[in-house]
Amino acid sequence: METVWFVLVALMLAGYVVLDGFDLGAGALHLIAARTDEERRLVLGSIGPVWDGNEVWLLAAGGTLFYAFPLLYASSFSGFYLPLNMVLWLLVLRAIGIEFRAHLANGLWRDFFDGVFSLASLLLIVLFGAALGNVIRGVPLGADHYFFVPLWTDFRTGPQPGALDWYTVLCAVVTIAIIAQHGALYLILKTSGELNRRLRTIANILLPAVVALTAASLWASVGVRAELLDNYRATPAGWIIPVLVAAALIGIFRFTRSGREREAFLSSCVFILTMLVGAAFALYPVLLPSSGDPTLSLTIHNAAAGARSLSVGLGWWSAGMAVAIGYFVLVYSLFKGKVHLHSNGHL
Amino acid sequence: MGEALFIHRLHFAFTVTYHYIFPQLTMGLAPLLVVLKTLALRTGNPVYDQATRFWSRIFAINFVAGVVTGIPMEFQFGTNWAKFSELTGGVIAQPLAMEGVFSFFLESAFLGLFLFGEKRLSRIAHWWAGFALFLGTWMSGYFIVVADAWMQHPVAFNRLPNGSFEVQGFSGVLTNPWALVQYSHVMSGALITGAFVMAGAGAFYLLSHRAPEFGKMFVRIGVIAGVIATILQIFPTGDIHGRYMAEYQPASTAAMEGLFHSEKGAPLVILGQPDVEHQRIDNPLVVNRLLSFLIYGTPTAEVDGLDHFPRENWPTSIPLVYFAYHIMAGLGTIFVAIMGLALLLLWRGTLYGMRGMLWILMLAVPLPFIANTAGWLTAETARQPWLVYNLLRTDQGFSANVSSANGLFTLLGFMGMYAMLSIFYLFLLQRVVDEGPEASA
């Protein structure tokens, strides 16, 4: 049962990264790719009706994590206290950046909120990337299952690391490239004309960076935590995951070149999804590794809620998520195709 | 340790109190939007569509503020109350996760359709989008109240050998009788806020000699909803809630009422300041035997005072509990008077021209926000020193690994962030009100 919840929570988080990833990426590129007020309204219009729903995946995943693995929720949220609170502030800023911008037709007002939105999006990507790096590298868990990481110490991955060290910064940089590309591919799908051409150029520049940085981060990950390969050795079928990652990268390359915008974006979704599945597969059954004594790691066994809670939860979770996916199909099907100005109230 | 506990309590108190300014209006306006939309459908009169659009703009700004201040709450259980989360996650996260899965997805999908879909959707479909939004906000409220109600009155749980809690079944926590009572009280409180805001806006337009058609409509709908909600707030919801408190949290009731000594025929303290050191009420204004009557239905029944309970189980701040409760109850009583009088004048057809009454309606707009805040303050401070009543003490629940300095750092950060948010919120609302419903054609 713990394994089922591990898979569900991992899928929800992966769903969050794939979905909110494209609007975060669009945000990071907002100031660079979209120059005029019209173009910026197109970018915002491309994510306007969906970004809020995408972000709900984070809340729903957080709530589900809280329910299924209360100790992991408690330990990691308090241990990553400072970066997590910064994430919360950035989520506040980003949301008001998107939502308050349109209320005034004033150039300064709009420039201000464009800047808030874009900068907050970029910093969120940095923090999320570093967070993933922290989970892979491990944290200084104590015998009481708790820890506290400062923002940084000496930038080394020793037993007492900070939230930022060379490895997690690398992860943040990789994440910027991947998520920015994801956002660019989404915006290409939703726009046309000059903006579309500029985004293609950006995507073409980002792709080699994504490939090189992904390779570097995988190599660094195994260097930081050699145990990551244990599950792949024990279950060789797992090697299908990196094969899919590579296939998705090739897909992004081929489909971008041939102008098949939808397929290129979907390849990017598969790329992100398989990267995260690969990480989750490598960590299992560990949820949060210890950077010191490995027996102190939080696992699905010592961090799960009571057996009764886990079995009861499966019912309402499945029902709720089935309905939620229904809403997503509805909203995305109402919102398919290219965005044009004045086609909805967001513009 | 003591300082860290204080900072973590203040952290949650500040962020949740600020947050609840917005959802109470969201939940209060949502049914009124459905009413406006229904009137538009049934009468075919376009002014109701225009009114719906006007209130949708206010609703949208308010909704954003509610969402952005709500997201931190979902995470703050873990960041600042880690030990509490670790022990109770198997129970309390059920309603919290269900809120995400059942309400937030619903709201996020239909908010956009309601706000921007009027031209794309049919009139019926647009009504349903509004109704779905109303449903989402009210379900959201239920899940949160369920979580709080379990802390007030824990039911349907097993305690595991490691001290943590798990649910006994799916429905036990969701059908906690305390939650049903608390929810009806909280929701009629939200409706009071929505009603006073709508009536107050209407009074503003009538007093400013603008948009009289809309001014009258807002006053009429606000007063009718307000009468219903203010009465429900006291009877039956407040009445039953009070009896529940007296039965299951008697020490909380004693603190709320300022009753230091157990008494047969206990008086109801209307005004006065609790003097904890001397265990008495200073400057008292009381009604003899009324408290016994309100709780037990007989004026001679004995009510337990604080002296009945061990000192370490007294609420941490008796004066805060006492004042919060008296502010809530006092304002609640005043609301019935305001709305009752307004209804009488409405019925006699003189309300729209009676500037004195319109001034009262306009100036009363902040009061329900204060009353709702005071109500929650009562519930949460009267439960002290417990996080989970009689099972888990507050000083055992906070994140011991987060220092008071780090707690203060993020508290100050939230204060700065929310100060900025307040400025934008008021500025944008002022613009909508200034442009007026005439502009929403």
Side-chain angles (χ1 to χ4, degrees):
Chain A
M1 189 56 81
E2 289 87 353
T3 302
V4 172
W5 283 101
F6 177 87
V7 172
L8 295 180
V9 172
L11 282 179
M12 285 180 95
L13 285 170
Y16 168 70
V17 178
V18 167
L19 288 169
D20 213 30
F22 73 69
D23 60 62
L24 283 165
L29 296 175
H30 187 54
L31 294 182
I32 307 164
R35 307 272 166 80
T36 62
D37 185 53
E38 283 74 30
E39 289 179 349
R40 290 186 175 167
R41 280 154 69 198
L42 281 169
V43 168
L44 289 166
S46 303
I47 63 168
V50 293
W51 77 267
D52 182 32
N54 294 344
E55 200 173 289
V56 172
W57 281 79
L58 179 66
L59 293 180
T64 306
L65 178 71
F66 188 6
Y67 183 70
F69 301 107
L71 178 59
L72 174 65
Y73 171 88
S75 171
S76 61
F77 281 30
S78 59
F80 292 122
Y81 185 83
L82 292 173
L84 189 64
N85 271 286
M86 288 171 189
V87 165
L88 297 175
W89 297 340
L90 290 167
L91 288 173
V92 173
L93 288 172
R94 181 169 182 270
I96 64 175
I98 301 174
E99 295 296 331
F100 286 174
R101 179 191 191 275
H103 284 278
L104 244 69
N106 174 300
L108 282 183
W109 173 272
R110 293 192 163 188
D111 282 348
F112 173 73
F113 284 108
D114 282 333
V116 168
F117 165 57
S118 191
L119 203 60
S121 300
L122 182 68
L123 288 173
L124 277 168
I125 298 169
V126 168
L127 283 166
F128 287 141
L132 183 63
N134 272 275
V135 171
I136 291 171
R137 179 208 59 205
V139 293
L141 282 159
D144 63 350
H145 302 303
Y146 285 93
F147 68 98
F148 187 88
V149 287
L151 288 174
W152 59 79
T153 52
D154 55 3
F155 290 95
R156 282 189 232 161
T157 60
Q160 294 295 330
L164 293 178
D165 59 33
W166 69 265
Y167 172 69
T168 59
V169 169
L170 174 65
C171 288
V173 174
V174 183
T175 312
I176 293 174
I178 292 174
I179 296 296
Q181 174 182 256
H182 193 49
L185 293 173
Y186 175 77
L187 289 177
I188 290 170
L189 182 61
K190 301 300 285 184
T191 57
S192 48
E194 176 63 26
L195 179 58
N196 180 288
R197 266 193 299 283
R198 205 177 300 133
L199 286 160
R200 278 168 197 278
T201 312
I202 290 172
N204 287 336
I205 295 169
L206 282 170
L207 184 58
V210 167
V211 174
L213 286 165
T214 302
S217 74
L218 293 179
W219 178 75
S221 298
V222 176
V224 166
R225 180 162 291 278
E227 305 93 303
L228 288 173
L229 292 177
D230 290 354
N231 281 342
Y232 288 94
R233 289 201 190 93
T235 317
W239 289 105
I240 187 84
I241 301 169
V243 172
L244 287 172
V245 169
L249 272 177
I250 294 168
I252 295 173
F253 177 69
R254 298 278 305 263
F255 292 130
T256 312
R257 279 190 32 149
S258 59
R260 294 170 70 178
E261 298 167 347
R262 196 179 146 83
E263 285 75 9
F265 173 66
L266 290 176
S267 299
S268 180
C269 294
V270 172
F271 172 60
I272 293 171
L273 198 63
T274 47
M275 286 278 279
L276 292 170
V277 167
F281 180 76
L283 281 172
Y284 178 86
V286 172
L287 294 164
L288 186 63
S290 154
S291 57
D293 180 357
T295 61
L296 295 176
S297 295
L298 294 183
T299 68
I300 60 168
H301 305 295
N302 65 16
R308 187 92 192 113
S309 286
L310 292 185
S311 63
V312 164
L314 220 46
W316 58 255
W317 187 92
S318 314
M321 286 309 293
V323 178
I325 288 168
Y327 301 144
F328 270 77
V329 172
L330 173 71
V331 168
Y332 279 84
S333 66
L334 286 172
F335 185 59
K336 66 181 174 214
K338 302 269 182 196
V339 172
H340 302 284
L341 288 184
H342 308 297
S343 67
N344 72 39
H346 255 282
L347 301 181
Chain B
M1 166 99 165
E3 191 188 355
L5 173 62
F6 174 73
I7 296 279
H8 287 300
R9 288 187 67 192
L10 194 60
H11 203 288
F12 205 94
F14 171 73
T15 48
V16 81
T17 303
Y18 185 78
H19 169 60
Y20 197 63
I21 292 171
F22 308 109
Q24 60 176 300
L25 184 57
T26 300
M27 295 186 295
L29 277 183
L32 298 180
L33 277 173
V34 174
V35 167
L36 286 171
K37 199 68 206 165
T38 308
L39 288 169
L41 266 185
R42 293 188 62 161
T43 64
N45 189 341
V47 294
Y48 288 112
D49 284 312
Q50 215 171 318
T52 312
R53 266 174 243 133
F54 169 74
W55 284 104
S56 299
R57 293 179 66 194
I58 291 179
F59 184 87
I61 295 166
N62 191 67
F63 192 89
V64 169
V67 168
V68 299
T69 56
I71 291 170
M73 303 317 305
E74 176 105 14
F75 293 87
Q76 223 173 101
F77 293 100
T79 51
N80 297 72
W81 296 91
K83 200 67 195 173
F84 165 74
S85 302
E86 175 194 338
L87 295 175
T88 66
V91 175
I92 211 135
Q94 183 189 352
L96 294 178
M98 287 181 82
E99 185 193 27
V101 170
F102 285 93
S103 304
F104 291 159
F105 281 124
L106 179 74
E107 290 172 68
S108 70
F110 288 98
L111 179 70
L113 289 178
F114 182 69
L115 293 180
F116 307 118
E118 194 181 353
K119 292 202 180 93
R120 284 198 194 178
L121 300 171
S122 70
R123 284 175 70 81
I124 299 286
H126 193 239
W127 185 91
W128 276 106
F131 186 77
L133 197 54
F134 157 60
L135 201 66
T137 61
W138 277 50
M139 271 166 54
S140 197
Y142 189 67
F143 290 124
I144 292 303
V145 167
V146 163
D148 186 68
W150 189 81
M151 295 163 68
Q152 302 284 356
H153 182 56
V155 296
F157 63 89
N158 299 321
R159 193 117 195 214
L160 301 176
N162 65 4
S164 70
F165 299 84
E166 66 165 9
V167 294
Q168 276 177 354
F170 168 69
S171 59
V173 173
L174 292 175
T175 55
N176 184 351
W178 189 289
L180 302 174
V181 172
Q182 190 181 353
Y183 179 67
S184 43
H185 195 58
V186 167
M187 296 319 282
S188 61
L191 195 54
I192 290 177
T193 298
F196 269 86
V197 167
M198 190 169 276
F204 168 75
Y205 289 121
L206 288 176
L207 287 170
S208 340
H209 303 291
R210 296 181 44 178
E213 192 176 8
F214 292 99
K216 288 176 187 172
M217 182 202 305
F218 298 162
V219 166
R220 188 177 75 241
I221 294 173
V223 167
I224 292 170
V227 167
I228 296 167
T230 51
I231 291 173
L232 287 177
Q233 189 67 356
I234 291 179
F235 192 85
T237 67
D239 178 51
I240 298 175
H241 204 325
R243 287 167 199 252
Y244 260 72
M245 290 287 290
E247 185 174 348
Y248 296 108
Q249 294 189 4
S252 309
T253 296
M256 283 156 60
E257 304 287 358
L259 190 68
F260 287 100
H261 306 288
S262 302
E263 258 181 81
K264 284 193 173 124
L268 185 76
V269 179
I270 308 286
L271 290 175
Q273 295 82 34
D275 179 345
V276 180
E277 202 176 319
H278 299 106
Q279 303 210 9
R280 65 178 185 219
I281 299 288
D282 294 336
N283 316 310
L285 178 66
V286 303
V287 180
N288 283 328
R289 296 196 240 288
L290 185 55
L291 184 60
S292 292
F293 177 74
L294 286 176
I295 296 175
Y296 296 107
T298 139
T300 52
E302 175 158 352
V303 181
D304 289 335
L306 283 163
D307 60 0
H308 189 77
F309 308 97
R311 187 95 191 210
E312 72 269 17
N313 288 351
W314 288 17
T316 323
S317 173
I318 307 266
L320 186 57
V321 175
Y322 170 91
F323 284 123
Y325 170 66
H326 278 76
I327 289 169
M328 172 195 78
L331 284 175
T333 312
I334 292 169
F335 294 160
V336 175
I338 294 176
M339 283 300 179
L341 189 59
L343 183 72
L344 186 70
L345 296 170
L346 183 69
W347 179 59
R348 294 186 50 186
T350 54
L351 177 60
Y352 303 137
M354 195 162 290
R355 294 184 66 84
M357 193 64 216
L358 294 176
W359 268 102
I360 290 174
L361 284 176
M362 185 176 78
L363 293 178
V365 166
L367 300 182
F369 291 92
I370 295 172
N372 274 295
T373 302
W376 274 106
L377 203 56
T378 308
E380 302 308 291
T381 55
R383 193 191 61 237
Q384 304 299 328
W386 304 99
L387 273 173
V388 182
Y389 197 72
N390 266 340
L391 292 172
L392 182 66
R393 294 180 79 93
T394 306
D395 58 12
Q396 294 165 339
F398 70 100
S399 303
N401 51 335
V402 177
S403 69
S404 58
N406 282 313
L408 185 59
F409 172 68
T410 56
L411 174 59
L412 293 172
F414 273 108
M415 287 178 166
M417 180 79 67
Y418 288 172
M420 182 198 68
L421 180 62
S422 305
I423 293 169
F424 285 129
Y425 176 80
L426 291 173
F427 170 69
L428 289 174
L429 275 195
Q430 189 275 334
R431 278 175 48 86
V432 176
V433 173
D434 190 43
E435 283 171 20
E438 319 93 292
S440 301

